[in-house]
Amino acid sequence: MQELKALKIRVTSCIILVGISLMLAAVMSDHWAVLSPKLDDDTQSCEVAHFGLWRLCKKKILMDDQETMLKGCGPLSLPGEHSCTYFKHFTSGENANIFEVTTQKEYSISAAAIAIIGVGFMTMGTVCTLLSFKEKLDYLLKPAGLFFIFAGLCMIISAEVIRQSVHRMIDSKETVWIEYYYSWSFACACSAFVVLFICGIALVLISLPRMPRNPWESCMDAEPDM
């Protein structure tokens, strides 16, 4: 029975590693959403943007092909001048290149803060999981599962904040963006939520004591009266 439980823990831990990788990829990358402006008939170039939790990147693309213009500005794989600027609230120094949009600031700082909290939960869950492999420390599986559940919830909340941010930027008159789509970083965040949340619940269930199969097992396992 203990061997089966250890196998379940190892399999769940391996799946959690996938969720951790997805979470770190989402937090560290800047392809959560891609924004593009409206194209005119006489447009020779357009500027497409993609952003994450820490910075916004813009790419100026030459629109030479008529078929490409009909599909809109992009895709990002087309050649062009590329530049990135960090958000003001995460940048220090007078010479820093700053991007500031009032409709974006409160959303991006909230999403980043929630993601950092999620990384903290993920780190504590990883430490508890590693310690649980030691003898007589298997009780750490339950807090490890809870930490991974909280980490997954933080990621999906951060993704929702980014989604609201994109809609706010599209609807704002202060920006030129009218079209958008969510990119691979956003998909990584959502996938990390699913993996960490499910595996966290699995760890909690694995850590629970085995239920007695027969009514008399509880009486037989009880300590005798002195």
Side-chain angles (χ1 to χ4, degrees):
M1 198 68 175
Q2 291 297 327
E3 294 180 357
L4 179 59
K5 181 177 180 180
L7 178 61
K8 292 179 180 178
I9 295 174
R10 291 191 182 96
V11 172
T12 306
S13 300
C14 292
I15 301 175
I16 285 176
L17 289 177
V18 178
I20 292 174
S21 301
L22 292 170
M23 183 178 185
L24 293 178
V27 172
M28 297 172 63
S29 59
D30 46 34
H31 286 76
W32 286 65
V34 179
L35 310 172
S36 59
K38 182 179 179 181
L39 294 180
D40 299 326
D41 296 335
D42 56 346
T43 301
Q44 299 297 325
S45 65
C46 66
E47 195 173 54
V48 63
H50 61 90
F51 71 95
L53 302 177
W54 317 107
R55 65 179 185 174
L56 181 140
C57 297
K58 296 181 180 180
K59 191 173 186 179
K60 190 174 183 179
I61 301 174
L62 296 177
M63 306 297 292
D64 297 331
D65 190 359
Q66 188 67 26
E67 294 183 1
T68 305
M69 293 182 61
L70 296 176
K71 297 179 181 179
C73 185
L76 283 173
S77 57
L78 293 176
E81 298 179 3
H82 192 265
S83 62
C84 295
T85 50
Y86 287 87
F87 294 119
K88 182 177 181 180
H89 39 268
F90 296 118
T91 308
S92 60
E94 297 180 356
N95 297 326
N97 191 7
I98 295 173
F99 171 79
E100 183 177 8
V101 178
T102 56
T103 58
Q104 173 69 8
K105 182 176 180 179
E106 65 272 18
Y107 286 96
S108 58
I109 190 172
S110 300
I114 296 171
I116 291 175
I117 295 174
V119 172
F121 281 131
M122 179 268 293
T123 303
M124 290 186 290
T126 303
V127 172
C128 290
T129 303
L130 293 176
L131 292 176
S132 67
F133 287 104
K134 294 185 178 181
E135 190 176 357
K136 297 182 180 180
L137 290 179
D138 55 345
Y139 62 87
L140 291 176
L141 281 177
K142 185 177 292 184
L146 294 176
F147 283 139
F148 285 125
I149 291 174
F150 295 151
L153 290 175
C154 286
M155 286 309 299
I156 198 62
I157 294 174
S158 182
E160 175 60 22
V161 173
I162 288 291
R163 194 183 71 86
Q164 295 293 333
S165 171
V166 171
H167 284 284
R168 183 76 177 270
M169 291 184 71
I170 294 297
D171 296 337
S172 176
K173 296 181 180 179
E174 300 180 25
T175 62
V176 298
W177 320 114
I178 63 168
E179 296 179 356
Y180 71 93
Y181 65 88
Y182 300 106
S183 192
W184 59 268
S185 298
F186 190 87
C188 286
C190 296
S191 301
F193 157 70
V194 174
V195 174
L196 294 177
F197 188 81
I198 294 178
C199 290
I201 294 177
L203 284 181
V204 173
L205 295 177
I206 293 172
S207 66
L208 295 178
R210 184 178 66 88
M211 297 294 293
R213 296 181 180 179
N214 301 309
W216 56 83
E217 283 190 12
S218 298
C219 298
M220 294 175 63
D221 294 338
E223 295 182 0
D225 296 334
M226 298 300 294

